[in-house]
Amino acid sequence: MPWKLSSEFTFDSAHVITGYDGPCGRLHGHTYRVRMELTSDKLRPSAHVKRAIMVADFKTLKWAKKDVDAGGLDHAYLNDLPDLGDDTTAEVIAAYIHRKTMDRVRADLPEGDDGADLRLHVTLWETPDSSCEYWE
């Protein structure tokens, strides 16, 4: 892959791991740190520029840092998200961020481009020294 687009950001959210026998079974929060790495064999246009000069728009990768009322994950109670519910482990959240990000990236693709060359790698830190990685 000749291009790799990287973006890193944080968001603050609360959750409960339902059924967990220990402190994570109680309401608590984290400052999550996320690194997105999107690779591509070719450059494309975006919603903001019509020439094929981007892997994707950085705005597309940073959706999760927005406030929950703006469609992001910042200051969300993660258990309230229908796609997560009671399953709010770092593994499940990383996969969720991956899926939602790829949905947004694909929505920006030009007609006829299936994005088959696009690969997204998500790293999610729940604490400064505990992280999870997800990619397909």
Side-chain angles (χ1 to χ4, degrees), residues 48-93:
H48 301 283
V49 63
K50 301 306 177 199
R51 297 182 320 281
I53 58 172
M54 297 181 163
V55 171
D57 198 309
F58 280 113
K59 291 179 182 182
T60 306
L61 298 183
K62 294 180 179 183
W63 68 272
K65 74 179 265 175
K66 292 181 183 177
D67 186 77
V68 66
D69 291 337
L73 298 177
D74 192 47
H75 287 82
Y77 177 55
L78 297 174
N79 297 74
D80 282 348
L81 299 175
D83 291 343
L84 294 177
D86 292 336
D87 300 325
T88 57
T89 62
E91 296 87 346
V92 173
I93 297 166

Side-chain angles (χ1 to χ4, degrees), residues 37-136:
E37 297 175 316
L38 183 65
T39 57
S40 176
D41 286 332
K42 63 183 184 178
L43 298 178
R44 297 173 163 85
S46 81
H48 301 283
V49 63
K50 301 306 177 199
R51 297 182 320 281
I53 58 172
M54 297 181 163
V55 171
D57 198 309
F58 280 113
K59 291 179 182 182
T60 306
L61 298 183
K62 294 180 179 183
W63 68 272
K65 74 179 265 175
K66 292 181 183 177
D67 186 77
V68 66
D69 291 337
L73 298 177
D74 192 47
H75 287 82
Y77 177 55
L78 297 174
N79 297 74
D80 282 348
L81 299 175
D83 291 343
L84 294 177
D86 292 336
D87 300 325
T88 57
T89 62
E91 296 87 346
V92 173
I93 297 166
Y96 172 81
I97 291 171
H98 183 282
R99 184 174 60 256
K100 294 295 187 180
T101 303
M102 286 305 296
D103 288 349
R104 292 167 192 272
V105 167
R106 286 187 187 106
D108 276 349
L109 294 176
E111 190 173 328
D113 185 347
D114 66 359
D117 66 306
L118 293 166
R119 299 286 179 264
L120 179 64
H121 186 122
V122 174
T123 305
L124 175 77
W125 284 266
E126 192 173 78
T127 67
D129 58 1
S130 299
S131 67
C132 174
E133 297 181 51
Y134 184 87
W135 66 95
E136 288 183 330

Side-chain angles (χ1 to χ4, degrees), residues 9-15 28-34 73 76 78 88-90 93 97 124-127 130:
F9 57 88
T10 62
F11 66 90
D12 297 300
S13 292
H15 72 133
H28 65 285
H30 299 281
T31 296
Y32 292 95
R33 184 169 60 130
V34 178
L73 298 177
L78 297 174
T88 57
T89 62
I93 297 166
I97 291 171
L124 175 77
W125 284 266
E126 192 173 78
T127 67
S130 299

